[in-house]
Amino acid sequence: MIRMKSIWRVYDTGKVKVEALRNIDLFIQPNEFISIMGPSGSGKSTLMNIIGCLDVPTGGNYALEGKEVSKLHPNQLAEIRNRKMGFVFQNFNLLNYASVYENVELPLIFAGLSFRKRRKRVEEMLDRVGLVERRNHLPSELSGGEMQRIAIARALVNNPSIILADEPTGNLDSVTGKEIINIFEELWSQGNTVVMITHDPEISSRTKRIIKLKDGMIENDEKNHHNHQ
Amino acid sequence: MHLWLFLRQIFRDMRSQKLRTLLTIFGIVWGTTAVILLLAFGQGLYRSQVKAMHGLGEYIVIMWGGKTAKTFQGLPKGRRIGLREEDTELLRSQIKQIAYISPERTRWNAAVSYGKKVFVVQVVGTNPEFALLRSIVADRGGRFINHLDMENKERAIFLGNDLKEDLFGEEEAIGKIVLVDRVPFTIVGVLKEKPQDSSYSGRDENKGFIPYTTCASMYPAKYLNNMVFKAESPHLTEYVKKRVYEVLGKKYKFDPEDDEALSMWDTSEMEAFFNAFFGGFQLFLGILGALTLIVGGIGVSNIMNVVVEERTREIGIKMALGAKKRFVLLQFIFETLVITFIGGGIGFIISYGIIQVFPVFKAEEYVGTPEISVMVAVAVTCLLGLIGLFSGFFPARRAANLNPVEALRP
Ligand SMILES: Nc1ncnc2c1ncn2[C@@H]1O[C@H](COP(=O)(O)OP(=O)(O)OP(=O)(O)O)[C@@H](O)[C@H]1O
Ligand SMILES: [Mg+2]
């Protein structure tokens, strides 16, 4: 589904050039459950942003579902993010003035769905994360775990090809974090593709593939055989 | 689009930044009020001046006899040309484009008396059409000289409102008898007060008007003082003037090209000058006001830049979820327009209030009644829209061009 060939991402800050990604080759099949690990500054977020079409590589080729995306117009990238990517962030990134319902609805508005279709989808998603009855609450009225569940509902609402989570448990206590990972695992078992950045070996041990980055290069990429369930 | 969410967000921002919002909106309120008031007072002044100008008449020509300046068919120059009563009918029958024409004979020092009061005023002999030419309207209960008065050489008199006031005070005048040079005349009407800022022989409010026929027998004279006429429509005035030279030139044997043989005052020339002058004046006021509004717009633009700054993260979130540049652009332009129109709306209300309260100052006589015409309202609304678009565009473009990764950085 994802095919990356010698991807480079160089930040040109004027004086120095930072090579955040160096010659990355990466293939991701449908219905994989992947964690990306590595020290701070190793390029995890940069790689995820490129996978998610939030950022474009400086060099190399990136084909998503067989289509080259590295040279697309920003509007086309926006469309891909809208339809094929579901982002979950460490700090939730919910709109604090919008209700739970409206937050989940947002990607559907950008997709141009009718009010009726939007309502149906939003309710399905809220049901899925178990927060239907909180639909009219503001994010500030929710706990961290609940906020992240709303963010997951929002990521899923447009039926994306891939769910990208950048340290989704980073701001949560370990119990709540586990609940969130449970949701990801369930999504994977239902056929979704999940890519998640984490520092926590306990969390990565539950994924099926672990990619280790170091200095912008893939240091290690292997199936996780210690998986027990 | 998600209008409701937009609006809620805008109002939430406004509430959380009360002072900032107040200052931003104030700039627009101030500018709008300035434009509207300047234009409304300009318009009011224009109206009152036009009315005063029309007190003399609308698009009329006043004509006097003159002195030839060219030789014609062996006749020398320097001959006096005098207008006679019968010329009125000659011109009327020869020139179809004349709508109204009236002879005018002025008795300069007629003694008009009622009881013990005597006033020495002008008494004008004229025909019924004079009222139509010279914007003369009879006050309630009265009338101007009519055709029967003319035919029967009635001793009927129509009084200027000031003269009536002098003679009668508050007392009813219509039907009463006044003496004009010791001859009794019945008052048939009184002039309804009118503004009049120009004249060729004094204000109508101080005169008495009697039928031309009566005047001719009371004060026999060979020549008229002048004539007043009006073409069927303003654009025919030039043609009618030319024809008058031809017709009278033929009768009195002068060169129709001899401008000085007759003397004419064409009030439409005054009208044209006046309109050009006031057009320029309005434009000047409009530009002055627009500049104030533009300054307000610059304030809004600055604030919108700050707002974009503050909402960078939100923009990043929306972009990550698939918002295109266009969406972000429209959101911020829309927000700017909302702020601009709220300010503009308040400005409209304030100006309207000021204009409503204005009569209290009793200054209409000098500056007219200010009014918000449809044109002013439309022009100001368009201007507000333009200013909103302009001041919103640059901050909005900055927002739309944000890099989503940068924008999302905590
Ligand atoms: N906009 C930028 N300009 C310059 N350098 C950048 C920029 N963004 C990232 N970098 C650099 O690129 C490298 C990779 O950054 P990245 O955010 O991908 O690291 P990370 O692995 O996600 O780290 P962390 O675990 O701390 O989130 C870092 O050295 C970082 O300083
Ligand atoms: Mg990171």
Side-chain angles (χ1 to χ4, degrees):
Chain A
M1 183 171 65
I2 283 172
R3 180 177 290 266
M4 284 185 163
K5 202 86 187 94
S6 36
I7 289 288
W8 285 76
R9 181 62 172 103
V10 183
Y11 291 107
D12 193 351
T13 54
K15 287 200 185 101
V16 278
K17 289 194 166 142
V18 182
E19 295 176 339
L21 294 178
R22 300 194 279 172
N23 206 26
I24 299 280
D25 292 330
L26 180 65
F27 302 91
I28 298 176
Q29 309 289 339
N31 197 22
E32 281 203 73
F33 190 15
I34 304 173
S35 54
I36 300 178
M37 300 188 76
S40 184
S42 57
K44 304 183 292 296
S45 295
T46 308
L47 178 60
M48 176 159 284
N49 288 338
I50 289 176
I51 295 174
C53 293
L54 270 174
D55 196 8
V56 283
T58 325
N61 297 311
Y62 170 19
L64 174 69
E65 293 174 343
K67 210 179 145 206
E68 184 64 33
V69 295
S70 48
K71 298 281 180 299
L72 289 181
H73 185 267
N75 277 346
Q76 294 170 297
L77 294 176
E79 216 154 286
I80 291 175
R81 291 195 295 269
N82 184 242
R83 289 167 202 265
K84 303 202 182 298
M85 306 293 164
F87 290 97
V88 177
F89 302 93
Q90 176 173 0
N91 51 4
F92 322 128
N93 274 341
L94 298 173
L95 298 186
N96 54 14
Y97 57 86
S99 69
V100 161
Y101 180 95
E102 287 163 336
N103 266 288
V104 178
E105 188 188 24
L106 220 46
L108 300 174
I109 290 169
F110 301 139
L113 257 63
S114 71
F115 173 78
R116 202 170 290 199
K117 283 186 184 153
R118 296 203 302 260
R119 191 173 55 191
K120 188 162 164 285
R121 274 303 282 170
V122 173
E123 305 218 314
E124 274 171 28
M125 288 306 113
L126 287 177
D127 194 36
R128 188 154 177 185
V129 297
L131 287 170
V132 188
E133 70 285 1
R134 309 300 293 273
R135 52 193 293 168
N136 292 324
H137 288 220
L138 289 176
S140 55
E141 296 161 342
L142 305 179
S143 72
E146 286 167 335
M147 283 198 255
Q148 199 58 300
R149 274 148 71 193
I150 294 304
I152 292 171
R154 184 179 68 181
L156 291 173
V157 77
N158 241 346
N159 244 329
S161 313
I162 181 164
I163 294 151
L164 300 165
D166 194 341
E167 297 183 46
T169 60
N171 281 2
L172 303 173
D173 62 68
S174 58
V175 179
T176 319
K178 279 209 182 75
E179 281 170 25
I180 295 300
I181 301 307
N182 288 343
I183 296 176
F184 284 130
E185 197 165 48
E186 191 191 327
L187 289 172
W188 164 72
S189 67
Q190 288 163 353
N192 288 287
T193 311
V194 180
V195 179
M196 172 168 65
I197 294 174
T198 182
H199 287 290
D200 187 344
E202 208 178 310
I203 286 172
S204 68
S205 70
R206 293 179 56 182
T207 61
K208 307 302 164 204
R209 178 179 166 190
I210 301 172
I211 299 170
K212 288 207 169 102
L213 287 185
K214 197 178 175 202
D215 296 335
M217 292 190 289
I218 295 179
E219 188 191 43
N220 200 351
D221 179 354
E222 57 185 17
K223 289 262 178 308
N224 183 7
H225 300 296
H226 315 289
N227 204 290
H228 43 81
Q229 199 152 29
Chain B
M1 230 196 298
H2 217 204
L3 218 62
W4 173 231
L5 194 63
F6 275 11
L7 282 173
R8 248 186 29 225
Q9 178 180 5
I10 293 166
F11 291 126
R12 183 195 54 114
D13 260 25
M14 286 181 171
R15 266 205 309 278
S16 68
Q17 298 282 349
K18 285 197 186 72
L19 185 65
R20 187 176 80 189
T21 307
L22 210 70
L23 291 175
T24 316
I25 288 184
F26 179 75
I28 296 290
V29 171
W30 178 256
T32 310
T33 311
V35 186
I36 295 178
L37 287 184
L38 283 172
L39 291 179
F41 276 89
Q43 193 88 3
L45 191 63
Y46 172 74
R47 291 273 159 112
S48 77
Q49 295 300 306
V50 164
K51 207 172 159 203
M53 183 171 66
H54 286 169
L56 179 67
E58 293 178 45
Y59 303 99
I60 59 169
V61 179
I62 300 130
M63 174 168 68
W64 294 267
K67 209 182 216 179
T68 58
K70 291 181 179 168
T71 54
F72 184 69
Q73 294 178 348
L75 294 165
K77 53 187 175 182
R79 282 182 304 127
R80 269 189 188 289
I81 305 294
L83 300 173
R84 296 162 203 258
E85 190 211 346
E86 59 272 23
D87 296 343
T88 315
E89 292 317 311
L90 175 71
L91 290 171
R92 193 200 299 282
S93 62
Q94 297 281 306
I95 308 169
K96 295 280 169 291
Q97 290 79 4
I98 288 180
Y100 306 113
I101 185 163
S102 165
E104 192 171 351
R105 276 260 299 128
T106 305
R107 181 73 186 176
W108 292 92
N109 298 308
V112 178
S113 61
Y114 176 68
K116 288 205 168 64
K117 290 180 188 157
V118 185
F119 289 89
V120 176
V121 296
Q122 287 178 42
V123 169
V124 176
T126 188
N127 73 9
E129 283 166 50
F130 191 76
L132 299 167
L133 288 159
R134 295 284 319 286
S135 311
I136 288 174
V137 177
D139 213 346
R140 214 155 357 127
R143 62 167 178 83
F144 195 65
I145 310 297
N146 66 18
H147 285 286
L148 275 175
D149 299 334
M150 292 287 283
E151 263 171 51
N152 303 335
K153 296 190 185 176
E154 286 303 344
R155 290 195 302 264
I157 187 164
F158 180 89
L159 296 181
N161 51 305
D162 252 24
L163 180 57
K164 181 261 167 190
E165 196 84 8
D166 288 342
L167 289 168
F168 293 90
E170 290 301 302
E171 198 185 321
E172 176 63 58
I174 292 165
K176 302 263 164 63
I177 308 285
V178 287
L179 300 178
V180 177
D181 287 338
R182 300 218 186 83
V183 178
F185 273 76
T186 308
I187 298 167
V188 295
V190 175
L191 176 65
K192 186 167 181 225
E193 192 181 345
K194 68 170 180 180
Q196 181 187 345
D197 66 356
S198 49
S199 69
Y200 48 89
S201 59
R203 314 272 138 161
D204 293 341
E205 59 195 17
N206 296 317
K207 297 182 190 172
F209 299 87
I210 61 175
Y212 181 81
T213 47
T214 319
C215 185
S217 43
M218 249 179 94
Y219 309 109
K222 200 169 162 194
Y223 297 114
L224 298 174
N225 288 72
N226 59 279
M227 272 186 211
V228 185
F229 64 84
K230 178 175 181 166
E232 274 173 341
S233 86
H235 73 270
L236 291 171
T237 306
E238 277 310 311
Y239 172 76
V240 167
K241 276 155 68 180
K242 192 170 139 273
R243 290 283 294 135
V244 168
Y245 272 95
E246 286 170 10
V247 171
L248 293 180
K250 197 169 163 214
K251 180 177 173 191
Y252 294 116
K253 301 203 180 345
F254 63 80
D255 186 343
E257 302 293 319
D258 187 353
D259 282 346
E260 292 181 30
L262 300 168
S263 145
M264 291 188 186
W265 179 15
D266 180 353
T267 64
S268 43
E269 284 166 8
M270 174 168 84
E271 196 111 5
F273 165 78
F274 184 82
N275 284 337
F277 174 80
F278 258 93
F281 184 60
Q282 283 284 76
L283 194 68
F284 170 73
L285 292 181
I287 289 172
L288 213 65
L291 285 176
T292 323
L293 198 46
I294 287 169
V295 171
I298 293 171
V300 174
S301 197
N302 281 332
I303 296 296
M304 286 312 292
N305 265 317
V306 176
V307 169
V308 168
E309 194 89 31
E310 283 175 356
R311 297 233 208 104
T312 299
R313 193 174 172 71
E314 168 204 321
I315 297 162
I317 295 171
K318 286 183 173 171
M319 285 178 158
L321 299 179
K324 292 182 183 162
K325 277 171 185 265
R326 195 177 345 126
F327 181 92
V328 179
L329 194 76
L330 285 177
Q331 170 180 352
F332 284 97
I333 287 180
F334 176 77
E335 175 154 352
T336 318
L337 283 174
V338 168
I339 290 174
T340 311
F341 276 101
I342 288 176
I346 297 173
F348 259 98
I349 292 169
I350 290 177
S351 329
Y352 184 78
I354 289 176
I355 285 169
Q356 292 304 300
V357 170
F358 184 71
V360 171
F361 299 107
K362 306 234 179 295
E364 279 103 330
E365 209 183 312
Y366 313 105
V367 298
T369 314
E371 59 168 11
I372 304 181
S373 64
V374 176
M375 216 188 66
V376 168
V378 169
V380 173
T381 309
C382 289
L383 190 62
L384 279 169
L386 271 179
I387 284 175
L389 281 180
F390 261 100
S391 45
F393 178 72
F394 297 99
R397 195 182 56 176
R398 203 164 69 95
N401 284 338
L402 281 173
N403 172 322
V405 178
E406 300 288 330
L408 276 170
R409 184 158 293 149

